Amino acid sequence: MKIKLLPVYLTIAVMALLQSCSKEDDTYSDKQTNIALTLVNPEDLSGVSFSDLSISFKELNTGKVTQSTSFVNNKLAITLSEGSYEIAVDGKIRYAADGSTAEASVSGYNKSVVITGQTAAVSLNLFLKTTQSDFIIEEVFFTGTKTPEGKQYWGDKYFKIYNNTDKVLYADGLMIAQSEFMTTDKQAYTPNIMAQSFAVSNIAIVPGKGTTYPIAPGEFFIIAEDAINHKEYNSASIDMRTAAFEFYTEDADDVDNPAVPNMENLFSSMVIHNRGFKSFVIARLPITKDAFLANNTYDYEYNLVIGGESYPMGESVYSIPNTWIIDAVNLSVQSEFQWIVTAPTLDMGWTYCGKVDADQSRYGKSVRRKVLSSASNGKKILKDTNNSTLDFSPEVKPSLMN
């Protein structure tokens, strides 16, 4: 068999073209941008100064992380390759408060900033972080499971609540609430109370007399949707009989395990959204239940637009003041996310199970908080920056599954 050789002039032309493309690609991938980053102070603060500021830039395509601490006041100059970046900053802040100086932790986050050109100006809003002194949400298993026959199974969802402090905490009276609004449907709700309160569709409270249910540092408790052995009905599910508490609704087709204490329903009944459209908070109730119900109603309105037509809508629910809330997690679906439904001071990010709406692969997966460090006594410290995007691992195997 004869092998035909390209003419010399054609071979040279092809090689030159390949080299040209390679050089162009290399040049493009190495394009640099000089960035002027400005940190925007939290609202309504004066006499602001910062310390221990650190920032990370994560390029979303390559995963490369660049870190810096070279701030001058609120500003940072840095050179990065062109790309799309996740930007996160943490540090400490001092500010004037009631004639004295207050100190707090501060953070900022933007999940996607496109950086191109020779120069770019980027601003990042900062938010105060509260010092952790109570429980946090370690895990939310909201997707449920499927049977070996491929049918959706109900009732095996749960919340895992963790004591991330160095002291004994009491679960008694802890509220857990599900958002009224969905992260997948942004509307212009009026009045907009999000900066002050969290609108809820239901609230449940841990029973007890104040010191009935102690939880040691580094320990957790489970609130189950139904505290039964679900494996008897679905081999792919979980035995939840060891849960500390369960949600239960009287006068409904609900299962009650008499050996497990029931959560008290303060407002409506907890039905955990299994596609991740809702968000959750835990909070402490500093007033009586009757006082809460009398003074924390929330009547809102909005216009629902369908096919170019606008329909006035409204609802009456309850809201929890942000100052009562001790932890929050925003959930969503990757392709459907529109907004977080908490104030960014509570949670400035979101996590997920499911990349598209009604994703069948979401079943049997949970969102679980990352471990920041482990102490010599075996107690783990969980990550809590008030940013669920950074704090939680999405789409992981539930910790209670064998």
Side-chain angles (χ1 to χ4, degrees), residues 163-397:
N163 182 352
N164 208 37
T165 75
D166 57 1
K167 62 184 179 181
V168 173
L169 298 174
Y170 294 92
D172 308 50
L174 187 73
M175 295 194 298
I176 187 164
Q178 184 169 227
S179 65
E180 168 70 2
F181 304 139
M182 297 191 295
T183 59
T184 58
D185 182 28
K186 186 176 183 179
Q187 301 288 347
Y189 300 109
T190 57
N192 183 350
I193 62 167
M194 198 172 294
Q196 296 80 37
S197 296
F198 178 72
V200 297
S201 61
N202 41 62
I203 306 172
I205 301 180
V206 174
K209 298 181 179 180
T211 56
T212 308
Y213 301 108
I215 308 295
E219 298 296 326
F220 66 87
F221 66 93
I222 299 294
I223 307 175
E225 194 167 55
D226 290 313
I228 63 173
N229 184 5
H230 296 278
K231 285 181 171 292
E232 293 181 359
Y233 310 95
N234 174 17
S235 60
S237 189
I238 309 167
D239 185 350
M240 300 289 291
R241 289 175 294 178
T242 58
F245 309 98
E246 70 173 347
F247 298 112
Y248 178 67
T249 304
E250 294 183 1
D251 303 322
D253 186 17
D254 197 4
V255 178
D256 183 24
N257 181 350
V260 176
N262 292 329
M263 297 284 287
E264 298 177 6
N265 295 321
L266 179 60
F267 166 53
S268 190
S269 299
M270 180 67 71
V271 179
I272 304 171
H273 197 289
N274 79 339
R275 288 157 71 189
F277 290 1
K278 297 291 190 89
S279 300
F280 297 93
V281 302
I282 53 175
R284 293 291 187 179
L285 184 64
I287 58 178
T288 67
K289 298 168 188 175
D290 288 341
F292 172 83
L293 294 174
N295 298 303
N296 289 275
T297 56
Y298 172 44
D299 302 323
Y300 68 88
E301 298 177 346
Y302 69 101
N303 291 320
L304 179 64
V305 179
I306 302 176
E309 297 291 330
S310 181
Y311 302 91
M313 307 291 287
E315 190 63 76
S316 179
V317 293
Y318 287 90
S319 70
I320 300 175
N322 291 344
T323 53
W324 299 0
I325 294 172
I326 58 178
D327 196 27
V329 55
N330 281 280
L331 302 177
S332 197
V333 178
Q334 274 194 314
S335 64
E336 304 298 316
F337 173 78
Q338 294 187 22
W339 65 332
I340 62 172
V341 294
T342 64
T345 51
L346 301 175
D347 186 10
M348 66 184 81
W350 56 282
T351 187
Y352 65 92
C353 283
K355 294 178 173 56
V356 297
D357 189 17
D359 191 339
Q360 296 299 298
S361 69
R362 78 184 188 277
Y363 292 104
K365 295 177 181 176
S366 73
V367 298
R368 196 184 325 156
R369 197 177 289 268
K370 299 174 183 177
V371 176
L372 184 63
S373 63
S374 296
S376 57
N377 60 3
K379 176 184 178 293
K380 60 186 179 183
I381 305 299
L382 300 183
K383 189 173 183 179
D384 183 23
T385 65
N386 290 355
N387 186 333
S388 290
T389 305
L390 301 178
D391 293 344
F392 282 83
S393 296
E395 299 188 309
V396 297
K397 183 178 180 180

